[in-house]
Amino acid sequence: MAISLSVVLLLAIILVVLIRGGSIKAGPALVAVLFGFFLASTGMAPSIQKFMDSIAQSINQINF
């Protein structure tokens, strides 16, 4: 739960920065948000979650 909330917050911040910086307009940003929202309700959601969890575990295992 904490990882997915952190990812959502990070992506929201990136989206706001891109919109305010003019790199992406509000229309395409809205389409991207809606795409993600509807993708989360499909059968692919568990596979995407497993992929994101494996990336988080890989990053967590890196020793600095």
Side-chain angles (χ1 to χ4, degrees):
M1 176 66 181
I3 292 175
S4 62
L5 184 60
S6 299
V7 171
V8 168
L9 184 60
L10 176 66
L11 291 174
I13 291 169
I14 291 171
L15 185 60
V16 168
V17 168
L18 287 173
I19 290 172
R20 291 182 63 84
S23 298
I24 188 171
K25 301 295 180 198
L30 180 63
V31 170
V33 168
L34 289 173
F35 173 74
F37 177 77
F38 287 114
L39 183 64
S41 65
T42 66
M44 285 186 65
S47 299
I48 295 170
Q49 184 65 45
K50 286 179 186 176
F51 176 70
M52 294 303 293
D53 289 341
S54 67
I55 289 175
Q57 287 176 352
S58 298
I59 291 172
N60 208 13
Q61 291 176 355
I62 296 173
N63 294 324
F64 290 103

